[in-house]
Amino acid sequence: MSEAGGGRGCGCRVPQRAPWSLVAATAALCLVLATSVCTARAAPMSREEKQKLGNQVLEMFDHAYGNYMEHAYPADELMPLTCRGRVRGQEPSRGDVDDALGKFSLTLIDSLDTLVVLNKTKEFEDAVRKVLRDVNLDNDVVVSVFETNIRVLGGLLGGHSLAIMLKEKGEYMQWYNDELLQMAKQLGYKLLPAFNTTSGLPYPRINLKFGIRKPEARTGTETDTCTACAGTLILEFAALSRFTGATIFEEYARKALDFLWEKRQRSSNLVGVTINIHTGDWVRKDSGVGAGIDSYYEYLLKAYVLLGDDSFLERFNTHYDAIMRYISQPPLLLDVHIHKPMLNARTWMDSLLAFFPGLQVLKGDIRPAIETHEMLYQVIKKHNFLPEAFTTDFRVHWAQHPLRPEFAESTYFLYKATGDPYYLEVGKTLIENLNKYARVPCGFAAMKDVRTGSHEDRMDSFFLAEMFKYLYLLFADKEDIIFDIEDYIFTTEAHLLPLWLSTTNRNISKKNTTSEYTELDDSNFDWTCPNTQILFPNDPLYAQSIREPLKNVVDKSCPRGIIRVEESFRSGANPPLRARDFMATNPEHLEILKKMGVSLIHLKDGRVQLVQHAIQAASSIDAEDGLRFMQEMIELSSQQQKEQQLPPRAVQIISHPFFGRVVLTAGPAQFGLDLSKHKETRGFVASSKPYNGCSELTNPEAVMGKIALIQRGQCMFAEKARNIQNAGAIGGIVIDDNEGSSSDTAPLFQMAGDGKDTDDIKIPMLFLFSKEGSIILDAIREHEEVEVLLSDKARDRAILKDPEMENEDQPSSENDSQNQSAEQLLPLSQTVDLVDQETPENPLESHSEPSSPADMEEAAGFAPSEQKSSSTESLETPSLDGECTELDNQLQEQSETEEDSNPNVSWGKKVQPIDSILADWNEDIEAFEMMEKDEL
């Protein structure tokens, strides 16, 4: 997302917003507000160091692009762990994420203009010839209209834009005759049938060969699409119309934007995440700036810059005012309900919102951009990468990181806006983390879990299209680029479109529908956009002064749920009661509950049931506080369930030529050495004989002092462990016997005991799916001697080369084993969490289905409320007797008690929809139902 050029009518009017700081208030409440502020500015980075970092980016791109061309092309994407191409239909389905793949050499097309930005003009010319020679757009495959537009159509148009630029310079591309543009036009016509709806909103998917609705198309039955999916078309479609003179593309994209604007919630001026393409009804009514909506806002502002249509700026300003009024709680950006925008819809943020500071730079609202960016950077410094989602107290919510570029993008634009060398240091950190944790022999691998450092066998095309482009531009001086980057606008996929399109083929019939639906006060909006020159040349400490209070926000802020702190001080009143502070024996707390319409009922089994009647609350504000309290109580109960599970482990290949670069996600065992409490186990691997490990080993000399590889099946896991331990093995890796199984497509498991005392098992045992296990087996066949590290998380590669650098052993404790009567694999991901129903492996790109209400009541300890009125919300919590001051402690104590009393803890209960416990509470409860689905 972001704008490179100054654009139309751009000046330097920069509104100095000073939003009330949620973090400052929270810090004051927690008594952790820093008593002193350092005002020293980051030292300027020398020209030599910037060149060195720029050259490092070039080498990293060569590593990624070269391995794609060598091992994957003409496939769509590279699988960097197995060094092969990802071909649709030949690999296990990953759900919606595979809709980006259309058998059209996606990574090559997405990388075209990156080659030119990085001064690789010869490689660009070769790449264009390959695209023209090899790429077929008439494949019988169902693809995402959104992804195909931003990646393929945008890639072709970006390649065309720079091809004609190079041709005009007279050295390269002299043979070029708009061939890429003709391919783009062909693809544009293939996408047009998707717009055949009464609303003008496109279907989310289309068959490249057969279009929509035909029996052969296998699509056209969808009813919903995301707001960003329908609202992120105008730049590419308008550019295609302006380049070719075919107005139909821009007209269709404008119609979709007009419809979304018309369907916005009129009182809040917000849009939801998902909309019905036929009726225009909002399906998901939560609203934010992250996944599902993000680039809709981006394209409204950029459409004004590229096309010069004031209505787009009017709409953006209207939405932006609503965002800053309801969603922005600097430095946080929290989703709200479009009909009740003062009510937060969730307690976490997704990583896609990292683009928003860059968009705020284009808007000219610098202060909140600096604040949010700094908060995100603190999260990155804690986890090395930005998790797919993280909570308001900065814990990991979804642990994946597919090498997204949005944070690098915002870093580049903040540096352009402020000239602060601090952002060069941020970019340097990104480079170091990519090389240290994501680089593998065949490219860069996405992070499967930022906590363990384990990898996923994927390298998305956007990594080459965006990440290297923004990082190179961050360190490049103007003379380092062969063309003027200020003459172009970046699409959401960082493809370059020339600003001169604003004056080309301007015969599109357009209707300003904005003023038909809203009256705008022009004094509230800026009718200019900032250029990318330094905005604060006379105040070099401006950005530093904004960042400084946020330096410790991640590590030193007290945990908090979703609550608008400014509301807690309204009219001098005390802040609302928080779930974590609630004590059932405190009369004052009970009185507050009564005021919020919440009743407390003691059940016969010792549990406590909370029931809320909104109509019994003292006021509408108290009713909202009660609803928020109930949500927090649900999440605390959810956290109790999460704390019962064992986290995933890591198998790291550390021998030549891997040197720790390949990290495999492994399931732990409920017996044997606990790697979270002891030093990791390091050793060479050897296959056991028999391979199933179900009898005394016939090759004890081969596994003596090594980590034994054994196959799952035919006997208990504990029996396998005892057999290899008796043979002298120092650890064991069980490899799934289900050929083709992978942690990419199946939930991770942990190995249970055999119903007997397993204290005699002293070695660590880990479980790998077939795909991950085959990586080790292939390495043995190729290199014979393969050394691995079994640990709770991946280790620093520098430490791996010098084991003496490791820290001392952690104090050991008894290993808590939970026994089972037969061999079982217990799903790690299926914990009772009323916020995440069944966390998918790819949470921003997948969906999950809820189970039956009965299952959840059994798993979560909930009992159906006897009251079933339409305004009732009920929740049971553990018995709250005793003088405890933290509900977290009470929940944890109950968790431990339940585990001690029940050795066969059920891990197989799936999370249920909230409406199985909460009565139908009309519009208010819809916000929670949408939140519970987490369908991003």
Side-chain angles (χ1 to χ4, degrees):
M1 86 24 59
S2 287
E3 159 65 21
R8 176 179 178 276
C10 293
C12 291
R13 287 182 57 202
V14 180
Q16 298 298 311
R17 294 181 58 91
W20 191 86
S21 173
L22 171 67
V23 172
T26 305
L29 289 172
C30 300
L31 302 179
V32 297
L33 187 61
T35 58
S36 62
V37 175
C38 173
T39 58
R41 193 184 189 213
M45 184 176 287
S46 67
R47 166 74 173 165
E48 291 73 21
E49 186 173 2
K50 288 176 64 178
Q51 285 182 330
K52 179 180 178 182
L53 290 169
N55 290 334
Q56 196 170 355
V57 174
L58 293 176
E59 186 278 329
M60 293 166 66
F61 175 82
D62 289 341
H63 179 65
Y65 181 76
N67 275 286
Y68 165 74
M69 295 304 296
E70 179 181 353
H71 298 292
Y73 182 79
D76 283 317
E77 290 179 343
L78 169 69
M79 300 172 67
L81 298 183
T82 51
C83 299
R84 56 196 175 95
R86 183 180 296 279
V87 179
R88 187 89 172 264
Q90 295 183 13
E91 301 294 332
S93 173
R94 301 176 298 170
D96 292 349
V97 65
D98 280 341
D99 288 343
L101 311 180
K103 299 182 179 179
F104 35 37
S105 302
L106 176 62
T107 298
L108 180 62
I109 293 177
D110 223 0
S111 304
L112 287 177
D113 50 7
T114 304
L115 291 166
V116 182
V117 172
L118 273 54
N119 296 338
K120 298 181 178 296
T121 49
K122 179 63 169 62
E123 292 87 342
F124 171 73
E125 190 160 3
D126 292 341
V128 172
R129 292 184 185 276
K130 284 186 173 67
V131 169
L132 300 179
R133 182 190 68 203
D134 300 335
V135 172
N136 177 24
L137 298 176
D138 195 40
N139 299 313
D140 180 12
V141 59
V142 176
V143 296
S144 162
V145 173
F146 167 76
E147 296 290 356
T148 304
N149 172 66
I150 66 171
R151 299 203 206 187
V152 185
L153 184 59
L156 293 172
L157 292 173
H160 170 70
S161 299
L162 297 188
I164 58 177
M165 178 274 297
L166 291 173
K167 184 176 182 179
E168 290 175 359
K169 287 181 175 291
E171 183 176 357
Y172 294 97
M173 303 299 294
Q174 296 306 299
W175 55 270
Y176 182 70
N177 192 28
D178 295 349
E179 288 87 351
L180 290 177
L181 180 59
Q182 296 308 312
M183 289 186 67
K185 187 176 181 180
Q186 176 191 359
L187 180 60
Y189 278 117
K190 285 184 172 294
L191 296 179
L192 284 184
F195 292 83
N196 187 22
T197 61
T198 55
S199 67
L201 298 179
Y203 283 95
R205 299 173 185 85
I206 194 168
N207 188 298
L208 289 176
K209 187 177 184 68
F210 298 109
I212 294 285
R213 292 184 176 174
K214 294 180 181 179
E216 306 94 327
R218 305 184 306 282
T219 188
T221 59
E222 302 94 338
T223 59
D224 307 334
T225 191
C226 71
T227 299
C229 299
T232 311
L233 299 159
I234 187 65
L235 292 188
E236 292 83 1
F237 273 49
L240 184 58
S241 288
R242 302 296 175 97
F243 272 130
T244 64
T247 62
I248 188 172
F249 303 109
E250 184 172 344
E251 290 171 353
Y252 275 46
R254 281 178 177 270
K255 183 180 179 182
L257 278 179
D258 289 345
F259 190 83
L260 289 173
W261 170 253
E262 179 183 350
K263 291 299 179 180
R264 78 193 186 285
Q265 211 289 321
R266 302 301 174 85
S267 61
S268 66
N269 282 320
L270 295 173
V271 293
V273 174
T274 309
I275 190 171
N276 186 294
I277 60 176
H278 303 296
T279 66
D281 295 332
W282 291 110
V283 179
R284 281 191 54 189
K285 299 177 183 180
D286 45 322
S287 182
V289 297
I293 303 180
D294 49 1
S295 49
Y296 162 69
Y297 294 133
E298 174 189 353
Y299 270 37
L300 284 177
L301 182 55
K302 291 184 175 180
Y304 164 69
V305 175
L306 182 64
L307 306 178
D309 187 338
D310 289 349
S311 67
F312 291 127
L313 182 59
E314 293 177 31
R315 297 179 191 183
F316 173 79
N317 281 331
T318 302
H319 285 314
Y320 187 77
D321 179 71
I323 290 169
M324 300 309 292
R325 185 187 306 272
Y326 303 119
I327 296 171
S328 176
Q329 302 174 41
L332 308 181
L333 292 163
L334 293 176
D335 285 17
V336 299
H337 191 280
I338 60 174
H339 296 289
K340 291 186 174 293
M342 299 305 294
L343 179 65
N344 287 115
R346 58 171 60 105
T347 60
W348 47 268
M349 296 165 279
D350 67 74
S351 62
L352 288 174
L353 62 77
F355 90 99
F356 198 66
L359 187 63
Q360 290 177 306
V361 170
L362 176 59
K363 162 69 178 173
D365 203 358
I366 303 300
R367 174 182 289 274
I370 293 172
E371 291 174 331
T372 299
H373 180 276
E374 181 61 25
M375 176 270 294
L376 294 170
Y377 184 45
Q378 298 300 321
V379 174
I380 288 174
K381 289 201 291 187
K382 182 176 183 178
H383 300 294
N384 299 321
F385 297 99
L386 199 60
E388 281 289 71
F390 54 93
T391 62
T392 53
D393 52 355
F394 310 111
R395 291 175 294 178
V396 172
H397 187 69
W398 288 328
Q400 301 89 334
H401 174 74
L403 307 181
R404 295 197 184 277
E406 286 78 13
F407 180 77
E409 172 186 357
S410 289
T411 302
Y412 165 64
F413 284 100
L414 272 170
Y415 176 66
K416 294 286 287 184
T418 66
D420 191 337
Y422 173 83
Y423 296 108
L424 297 178
E425 296 297 331
V426 173
K428 181 179 179 180
T429 299
L430 298 182
I431 291 174
E432 291 173 348
N433 287 350
L434 285 171
N435 278 321
K436 190 174 184 179
Y437 302 109
R439 186 167 183 145
V440 294
C442 284
F444 292 84
M447 307 306 297
K448 191 175 190 65
D449 193 317
V450 298
R451 297 164 298 189
T452 65
S454 58
H455 291 133
E456 188 174 355
D457 200 5
R458 64 184 286 192
M459 187 178 78
D460 291 85
S461 68
F462 55 69
F463 182 59
L464 284 82
E466 301 183 67
M467 181 69 80
F468 296 114
K469 196 176 291 175
Y470 288 124
L471 287 178
Y472 182 77
L473 290 172
L474 176 64
F475 298 105
D477 290 327
K478 191 170 184 179
E479 56 270 22
D480 295 330
I481 307 171
I482 62 175
F483 63 99
D484 191 352
I485 198 74
E486 304 291 342
D487 291 337
Y488 295 81
I489 187 173
F490 282 116
T491 70
T492 195
E493 190 79 1
H495 294 307
L496 294 167
L497 300 176
L499 292 173
W500 53 257
L501 287 174
S502 61
T503 60
T504 303
N505 290 325
R506 298 189 60 178
N507 56 350
I508 310 297
S509 61
K510 51 183 179 283
K511 176 183 178 182
N512 188 339
T513 60
T514 303
S515 56
E516 296 180 16
Y517 303 109
T518 182
E519 292 185 5
L520 293 175
D521 180 0
D522 288 359
S523 64
N524 292 332
F525 304 122
D526 294 308
W527 291 97
T528 61
C529 59
N531 60 29
T532 55
Q533 305 303 314
I534 295 176
L535 298 178
F536 308 102
N538 298 322
D539 188 5
L541 295 180
Y542 177 81
Q544 171 74 14
S545 66
I546 297 174
R547 285 194 308 268
E548 198 61 41
L550 306 175
K551 287 295 186 182
N552 299 319
V553 65
V554 171
D555 293 329
K556 294 187 178 180
S557 64
C558 63
R560 58 187 179 277
I562 54 173
I563 179 170
R564 292 185 179 276
V565 180
E566 64 268 31
E567 289 183 8
S568 68
F569 298 101
R570 56 183 176 268
S571 304
N574 293 326
L577 177 64
R578 306 299 301 277
R580 73 169 62 86
D581 301 325
F582 172 67
M583 294 177 59
T585 57
N586 187 323
E588 183 179 350
H589 287 183
L590 296 179
E591 186 63 29
I592 295 175
L593 289 187
K594 183 178 179 181
K595 186 178 180 182
M596 294 189 297
V598 179
S599 303
L600 186 145
I601 303 172
H602 291 275
L603 302 179
K604 293 181 180 180
D605 59 5
R607 290 178 297 169
V608 173
Q609 183 181 55
L610 297 177
V611 181
Q612 185 189 29
H613 302 269
I615 59 175
Q616 295 181 5
S619 68
S620 60
I621 293 178
D622 290 316
E624 285 194 7
D625 289 342
L627 188 61
R628 185 181 295 114
F629 175 84
M630 298 295 285
Q631 180 185 352
E632 289 181 353
M633 192 66 76
I634 289 172
E635 293 187 7
L636 287 173
S637 178
S638 166
Q639 185 62 32
Q640 168 197 2
Q641 302 297 326
K642 286 183 177 180
E643 290 171 353
Q644 294 179 0
Q645 69 173 323
L646 295 176
R649 306 298 189 215
V651 176
Q652 193 169 7
I653 306 179
I654 59 178
S655 55
H656 173 82
F658 304 97
F659 300 120
R661 294 192 180 103
V662 174
V663 183
L664 307 174
T665 299
Q670 293 182 346
F671 52 84
L673 185 71
D674 187 346
L675 292 171
S676 66
K677 300 177 181 178
H678 298 78
K679 189 174 181 179
E680 68 278 351
T681 298
R682 175 175 182 160
F684 289 92
V685 296
S687 296
S688 62
K689 293 184 180 180
Y691 190 32
N692 59 33
C694 291
S695 60
E696 182 179 350
L697 267 59
T698 60
N699 63 334
E701 68 287 347
V703 301
M704 174 73 70
K706 296 183 179 180
I707 296 173
L709 302 179
I710 44 183
Q711 188 177 47
R712 177 190 176 194
Q714 300 184 33
C715 65
M716 316 296 273
F717 289 122
E719 183 178 350
K720 299 175 188 287
R722 291 188 180 97
N723 287 332
I724 63 173
Q725 179 176 271
N726 293 338
I730 60 174
I733 299 175
V734 178
I735 299 176
D736 194 9
D737 60 346
N738 181 13
E739 186 175 356
S741 65
S742 168
S743 61
D744 292 339
T745 56
L748 196 59
F749 291 102
Q750 61 174 325
M751 296 180 287
D754 56 1
K756 305 175 184 177
D757 186 1
T758 55
D759 289 345
D760 60 315
I761 301 176
K762 305 297 184 183
I763 61 174
M765 296 289 293
L766 296 182
F767 176 85
L768 291 178
F769 281 109
S770 173
K771 179 181 176 181
E772 285 77 12
S774 65
I775 293 176
I776 295 180
L777 297 175
D778 291 343
I780 294 175
R781 283 190 286 269
E782 186 171 352
H783 304 289
E784 294 185 2
E785 294 287 314
V786 175
E787 188 177 14
V788 302
L789 187 76
L790 311 184
S791 59
D792 59 336
K793 61 181 179 180
R795 295 297 189 254
D796 191 320
R797 296 171 190 171
I799 295 178
L800 294 177
K801 295 179 182 178
D802 186 2
E804 295 183 0
M805 295 174 61
E806 283 281 20
N807 296 327
E808 296 296 326
D809 291 352
Q810 297 295 323
S812 62
S813 62
E814 290 296 323
N815 183 36
D816 298 326
S817 302
Q818 297 185 14
N819 302 324
Q820 299 289 335
S821 60
E823 174 183 308
Q824 298 181 41
L825 289 177
L826 306 181
L828 284 173
S829 63
Q830 293 181 356
T831 62
V832 179
D833 185 344
L834 299 184
V835 174
D836 298 319
Q837 297 181 353
E838 183 179 353
T839 304
E841 284 299 310
N842 228 327
L844 294 187
E845 299 153 332
S846 303
H847 304 275
S848 59
E849 294 297 330
S851 301
S852 65
D855 286 342
M856 186 173 78
E857 292 164 0
E858 178 183 354
F862 284 81
S865 171
E866 296 178 0
Q867 302 173 351
K868 297 294 183 179
S869 69
S870 61
S871 61
T872 300
E873 177 177 355
S874 64
L875 167 68
E876 294 175 15
T877 62
S879 177
L880 299 176
D881 299 330
E883 297 299 323
C884 297
T885 60
E886 294 271 334
L887 184 59
D888 300 76
N889 295 336
Q890 299 165 356
L891 294 173
Q892 177 62 28
E893 290 169 5
Q894 161 128 351
S895 172
E896 294 171 356
T897 301
E898 291 175 353
E899 287 186 29
D900 291 341
S901 63
N902 182 11
N904 295 320
V905 177
S906 174
W907 292 72
K909 302 298 183 184
K910 293 186 178 180
V911 181
Q912 310 305 318
I914 194 171
D915 56 7
S916 67
I917 300 172
L918 307 181
D920 179 16
W921 208 38
N922 297 329
E923 191 174 273
D924 287 339
I925 212 62
E926 287 184 12
F928 287 110
E929 291 174 345
M930 295 303 104
M931 178 185 68
E932 294 307 316
K933 292 180 181 177
D934 284 346
E935 293 176 349
L936 296 181

